[in-house]
Amino acid sequence: MLINKNTFSNKLLNKYIYWSGIITLLFILITSYVNYVNKHFPEQIYITEQSDTSINLSLPVTGSVHNTQNGTNNSLANADFSREVTFITGSPGSYHIDLHLFGFLFLKTVNVNVVDEKYVYPCGFQAGLYLKSSGILVVKTDSIESKSSGTITPCENIITKGDYILRINDEEINSKKQLSCKVNECAGEKLNIELLRNDEIINVTVTPVEDKNSEYKLGLWVKDDAQGIGTITYIDTDYNYAALGHPITDNTTGKALNIKYGRLYNTRILSIIKGQNGTPGELQGIIDYKNSTPIGTIDKNSSYGIYGTIDNSIVKKHSLSLMSVGYRYSVHKGKAYVRFYRNNKYDDYEIKITQLNNNDSKNISFVVTSEELLDMTNGIVQGMSGCPIIQDGKIIGAVTHVLIDDSRSGYGIYIENMLNAS
């Protein structure tokens, strides 16, 4: 028998290419599933005691449920998450689920927390915000027309936009005025500057430049505070509050403001500029910082909003009532409401939840369906971030963003993310 070596080699090569393609495709599919589960299945699940909660992943993922008591790991049940799985809870306790793909490939461990029913005061009213930065925020570096050497940029490649100036020559710097005085007093000597950059402390040396007015400068544009109007989402029974559902960021750097402290003030909304496709609307109001008494503190500026304490008289002033918290797996598509204050009273305006997502920020996608709210605002406007989202008589989230191209559509965050960040 004669065998054509070239034909034989080509067959082997074709088989190799075929099976390589199959293996590569399987690898891509498995990697996609793993990434999807890791992204969309949270590390923590909260379920209210004495309730039924359903989870539907529609993926070939199985989970073995365990609890640990007295140092013993007890296996309780196995769950197939390719179908809807219902958890029927009893008393508060903690469990964990080991997730596997196709029954054998370990993915992650998820903690399940059965918790007491929690109640908070849903808000939706606006407050004036004042925040003092921790250090002096650099928003721009610039050149200086020096007195004797032409144009100089003293901080070029040394200090950058987004840095916080903390100390100069070991002296803490707390205001723009203090910074300016310290630089001008140096008489041209080098300054040792301590910076906060991307959560890391670094030290640099810069020589100020004498300008044409005989003043020493660094060529920096800086800010030491921020102010505005925001919406309070909820107040808990200890009079701690959460607001906005997203961080307060600096417009020039796009980064969350690193705050030292802050204050809440009463505010009055004067007008509403309606949103238009391509142009977000906004709430316009006034805050008299100098002549009014703060109603609360701002202690934290996080990815999930701002947090602090608030005067207990606010609950009575706005006629707030306690409402139970709805955790993420009680949230479903369909009818819900956005709570919004106008003319010293609140109303709940109907929306339709169109999509749910378990990533970090844009958890809830919705469309405003209330004709009354559409007539008032044309949807969601700037300043409404933090408005509570209510479904089935429970507070489930807060408004965070409006779609620039469609002012009727917006995003929200799960309330449990805000609660956890507190």
Side-chain angles (χ1 to χ4, degrees), residues 13-61:
L13 179 60
N14 290 335
K15 286 185 178 180
Y16 174 79
I17 293 173
Y18 173 79
W19 286 109
S20 295
I22 294 295
I23 293 170
T24 301
L25 180 61
L26 286 174
F27 177 78
I28 291 172
L29 289 174
I30 292 172
T31 302
S32 298
Y33 275 130
V34 170
N35 290 337
Y36 181 90
V37 173
N38 285 332
K39 181 178 180 181
H40 294 276
F41 210 114
E43 302 292 336
Q44 305 284 339
I45 293 177
Y46 294 88
I47 302 175
T48 306
E49 63 172 334
Q50 309 296 333
S51 67
D52 297 355
T53 300
S54 297
I55 298 174
N56 191 350
L57 284 183
S58 298
L59 287 174
V61 176

Side-chain angles (χ1 to χ4, degrees), residues 355-365 412-414 417:
Q355 188 172 347
L356 299 171
N357 199 323
N358 286 321
N359 60 15
D360 286 337
S361 56
K362 297 176 181 177
N363 306 136
I364 302 170
S365 300
I413 185 175
Y414 290 128
N417 287 342

Side-chain angles (χ1 to χ4, degrees), residues 70-113:
N70 301 321
T72 303
N73 191 7
N74 302 305
S75 179
L76 300 179
N78 294 314
D80 180 2
F81 288 100
S82 64
R83 305 185 182 94
E84 185 175 82
V85 174
T86 299
F87 291 86
I88 302 174
T89 62
S91 301
S94 296
Y95 306 84
H96 65 267
I97 305 174
D98 293 331
L99 296 180
H100 294 83
L101 185 63
F102 305 123
F104 66 89
L105 181 61
F106 176 77
L107 296 174
K108 65 191 297 185
T109 296
V110 175
N111 296 310
V112 180
N113 306 284

Side-chain angles (χ1 to χ4, degrees), residues 9 13 28 35 38 63 132 141 149 154 156 182 187 213 220 261-262 314 327 330 345 361 364 375 384 386:
S9 298
L13 179 60
I28 291 172
N35 290 337
N38 285 332
K132 187 73 173 178
T141 58
S149 305
E156 188 173 22
K182 191 69 178 175
N213 297 319
L220 297 176
Y261 65 86
I314 298 300
Y327 295 100
S330 68
K345 68 181 184 71
S361 56
I364 302 170
D375 182 63
M384 288 180 67

Side-chain angles (χ1 to χ4, degrees), residues 294-331:
I295 60 171
T297 66
I298 302 175
D299 302 325
K300 183 178 181 180
N301 182 29
S302 81
S303 299
Y304 300 114
I306 60 171
Y307 298 85
T309 58
I310 197 166
D311 191 277
N312 57 18
S313 65
I314 298 300
V315 170
K316 183 177 180 180
K317 175 184 177 180
H318 292 288
S319 302
L320 304 180
S321 300
L322 287 171
M323 181 179 288
S324 61
V325 169
Y327 295 100
R328 74 174 70 191
Y329 283 109
S330 68
V331 182

Side-chain angles (χ1 to χ4, degrees), residues 196-210:
L196 177 67
R197 178 180 296 167
N198 298 326
D199 298 323
E200 181 182 356
I201 300 293
I202 63 172
N203 290 276
V204 299
T205 301
V206 180
T207 302
V209 172
E210 186 179 14

